[in-house]
Amino acid sequence: MRAAHLRAAARAALDTVYDPELDEPITDLGFVRSLTADDGRITVRLRLPTSFCSPNFAYLMASDAKDALTALPGAREVTVLLDDHHDSDLINRGLAADAGYRGTFGHEAERDLEELREVFRRKAHTAAMERALTALLRARPGLAEERLGEVVLGDLPDTAATRALLRRRAALGLGTARADPALVDDEGRPFPPGEIPLRLRFARSVRISIDGNAHFCRGLLRTRYPDSAADQAPRSGDEGHPVDAAPAAHGTAPAGHSTTTRENIA
C-alpha cells in the first residue's frame, strides 16, 4: 500500500477510536499529535489535556488506537506512543510488549479492561438516549414526558442523534428494531410511566456531565498545546449548532481526566 493511502487509512482507523469518558473520537478532540505511515510502518503519538489524566483512560485510548491500526491491511509494524503523561513510560512499554492492561499495570489494575469499557458504554448510551428523546420533545411540544415510554425507535427522526443512539444500543447488545422502545435501562427494560420524568432527568445529568467535560478537556488541551486547536473538530450541540468552550486556566482539570487513580470510573 502506498504511503499516502496507508496514512489515509490510518487516519480513518483512528477516527473510530473514542475517548471512553467524553464519547468523542480522539481525532476530533485533537489527541492525535502526529501520524506517520510508510512502507507498512505506522507510528502515532498521542497527547492528552493534562499530564495526570486517568491512566486507565489513557491506556484504553492508546490500546484501542494500536488495535485499530494493527487491523489495517498493509500495516506491518504499528507503534503508538503516549507523550507527556506521568505514566507515559509504563504505558508505552506495555503497548510495545503487547502486555495488556493487567500486564501493564500489575496489581494496580483491579478491574478488567472490559469492565471499564462496559461502564463507559452504558454512560454513552444514557447520554445518547437523552439527546434523541429531548430532541423529540422539542419537535413535538404536545408530547408529555410521561408518554415517552410509548415511543419506539421508529418514531425518532433520522438524525445524527438517532443514529448515535442506535450505535450505542448496538454496542450494549440492545435491540435496534423500529418497534423497540426508545427509553430503556442498560438491560433494555422499559421504565414504568411514573418513573420516566426522574429517569429522564438522570439521563440529562449524565449527558451534561459528558458534554461539560468534553468542553473542558478541549480547552485544557489548547492551553497545554496551542497548536492542537487546528486539529480539533467543532463540536455540535443538541440541535446541531456548533458549540465550543474557551480554554481553561492552567492548573485546573475536568472531573474524569483529572484523577491519578486507575479505578476512578464512577
Side-chain angles (χ1 to χ4, degrees):
M1 184 181 293
R2 292 182 178 178
H5 292 165
L6 182 59
R7 190 182 189 286
R11 176 72 186 193
L14 292 173
D15 286 340
T16 69
V17 178
Y18 277 62
D19 179 294
E21 182 196 24
L22 307 182
D23 195 35
E24 289 189 58
I26 60 173
T27 47
D28 287 0
L29 289 163
F31 290 176
V32 178
R33 190 173 198 173
S34 66
L35 164 63
T36 60
D38 190 23
D39 194 27
R41 296 182 177 87
I42 303 172
T43 300
V44 169
R45 305 193 78 97
L46 302 179
R47 60 190 171 193
L48 296 177
T50 73
S51 64
F52 45 89
C53 288
S54 179
N56 52 18
F57 296 165
Y59 181 86
L60 271 169
M61 287 183 279
S63 177
D64 286 352
K66 185 173 183 180
D67 289 345
L69 295 169
T70 300
L72 291 175
R76 296 191 296 108
E77 180 182 322
V78 173
T79 302
V80 175
L81 299 168
L82 176 63
D83 290 343
D84 306 330
H85 188 273
H86 72 84
D87 263 345
S88 284
D89 290 344
L90 180 64
I91 291 173
N92 291 341
R93 283 198 303 269
L95 290 171
D98 291 322
Y101 182 60
R102 290 185 180 275
T104 298
F105 292 112
H107 69 279
E108 294 182 86
E110 296 176 4
R111 294 195 184 208
D112 184 81
L113 196 60
E114 190 55 33
E115 290 183 68
L116 296 179
R117 294 185 196 280
E118 188 68 9
V119 169
F120 296 117
R121 288 190 193 113
R122 291 179 178 225
K123 287 186 176 182
H125 166 250
T126 298
M129 183 170 61
E130 188 276 338
R131 289 188 187 99
L133 291 175
T134 295
L136 183 67
L137 288 171
R138 289 171 179 161
R140 294 168 56 180
L143 178 62
E145 283 188 354
E146 292 79 2
R147 297 192 62 189
L148 286 177
E150 303 170 18
V151 173
V152 296
L153 294 177
D155 294 328
L156 301 177
D158 183 17
T159 63
T162 298
R163 292 190 291 273
L165 174 59
L166 294 176
R167 288 195 300 272
R168 302 297 178 260
R169 288 176 68 115
L172 283 176
L174 304 181
T176 57
R178 290 179 58 83
D180 287 332
L183 181 61
V184 296
D185 65 15
D186 294 329
E187 305 298 329
R189 297 181 296 250
F191 296 110
E195 293 184 16
I196 287 176
L198 181 61
R199 295 291 182 173
L200 190 62
R201 285 196 292 274
F202 170 75
R204 187 165 294 128
S205 72
V206 172
R207 190 265 302 166
I208 290 172
S209 175
I210 290 174
D211 288 351
N213 275 349
H215 286 306
F216 203 12
C217 284
R218 284 166 173 267
L220 283 169
L221 190 75
R222 293 195 297 268
T223 299
R224 192 180 190 200
Y225 303 103
D227 62 324
S228 67
D231 297 324
Q232 292 181 335
R235 295 190 73 239
S236 293
D238 289 348
E239 297 172 294
H241 302 302
V243 293
D244 215 336
H250 284 288
T252 57
H257 279 259
S258 65
T259 177
T260 58
T261 65
R262 294 182 171 81
E263 304 307 328
N264 187 347
I265 57 171

